[in-house]
Amino acid sequence: MRAQSILPALPILGAHGARILQSNDDGWAELYIRSLNAALNDAGHDVVLSAPAENKSGAGSTDLEPEPRTSPCEYNSCPANSGPVGTNSTNTRLNWVNSFPVTSVRYGIDTIAPPFWNGQAPELVVSGPNVGSNLFLAVQFSGTVGVAVYASHEAGIPALAFSGASDGNLAFDTSPVPARSTVYAQLATQLTNAVLASGTPYLPPDVFLNVNFPKVEGDCTDPSKFKWVLSRINPGVFSDRDVETCGTDRLPTETSVIDAGGCQISVSVGDSTDKTTAPAEKQAVVLQKLGSLLTCMS
């Protein structure tokens, strides 16, 4: 099922149509990933989705070969006894893998996506939006982050991990689509386009972006009202100094950005080798690339 276009209000920011592989940890039939799939396609990208057959939240970086299903996929999105890997009958770019998030993105990179792109690899991996935030300690256990870490560290493909504080799982065919799913899709597409528009290499080696959206409620229902803040994953009490910006060389934590309210989005530069904050020199590259989008925390 293809959702109606939801992007007219947001600029493309000069991004070219890119080969994007999508995954998540909430499952291939979760509404958030399908809304983003529609938004990325509407933005002109060449998108393939490869995600778990069912909700595998909290799986971290677990990677096990898929096994044949004996029961239907989540939300009855695939029939029982349908094998270890499957595809949507009307859109073969939507695929499920009966295993963990990292396994699903590995299959996507190695097996599922290349035939659509004449054997080429993805230019970017986009994970999520996760149903619920992935902040600080949760990052270590997040399957959404696990996908981005695998892509950027093991496969050498730049990756973005998106999470949204507005939670509550919903099926892909939920109608009408709630604002939270549409807004998160719009915002994730905006940042994806900004990263692509910044030029190659899109991110430094062994780096992923951990992006957390606040709840879609109150004043924070219009995508144009949201602000993007460069942040760090873990507190920096014993860490080296961060990139200097906003008059300081210590970035706010992503938790503090979300807690501050004001429709602020945290954008943390993650280290793919250990899922903590990347060093200042890699933060500086991201700051230079996305500086026109970023603002100081208020």
Side-chain angles (χ1 to χ4, degrees), residues 22-166:
Q22 273 189 286
S23 194
N24 71 352
D25 71 2
D26 293 304
W28 82 307
E30 173 60 44
L31 180 61
Y32 278 7
I33 195 173
R34 294 298 183 90
S35 292
L36 180 54
N37 181 265
L40 291 170
N41 276 293
D42 286 343
H45 299 301
D46 195 351
V47 189
V48 176
L49 186 153
S50 178
E54 60 190 14
N55 192 329
K56 291 291 185 181
S57 295
S61 293
T62 305
D63 183 4
L64 295 174
E65 287 302 306
E67 297 182 350
R69 287 198 67 80
T70 58
S71 60
C73 293
E74 190 174 26
Y75 306 125
N76 291 312
S77 55
C78 79
N81 304 311
S82 51
V85 178
T87 189
N88 183 283
S89 60
T90 60
N91 182 356
T92 57
R93 287 173 174 264
L94 303 176
N95 299 269
W96 56 266
V97 177
N98 191 37
S99 187
F100 296 98
V102 166
T103 311
S104 72
V105 77
R106 175 167 61 84
Y107 265 68
I109 292 169
D110 294 343
T111 305
I112 294 171
F116 291 100
W117 300 325
N118 296 317
Q120 297 181 93
E123 295 174 272
L124 187 69
V125 168
V126 175
S127 185
N130 189 71
V131 181
S133 300
N134 277 309
L135 301 164
F136 186 25
L137 295 177
V139 168
Q140 296 293 325
F141 308 101
S142 166
T144 298
V145 172
V147 163
V149 166
Y150 177 86
S152 53
H153 182 59
E154 300 295 338
I157 300 168
L160 315 176
F162 294 103
S163 301
S166 292

Side-chain angles (χ1 to χ4, degrees), residues 170-194:
L170 294 170
F172 68 99
D173 55 357
T174 298
S175 182
V177 175
R180 57 187 170 102
S181 191
T182 301
V183 170
Y184 288 157
Q186 291 176 314
L187 292 169
T189 300
Q190 184 181 12
L191 186 66
T192 298
N193 285 340

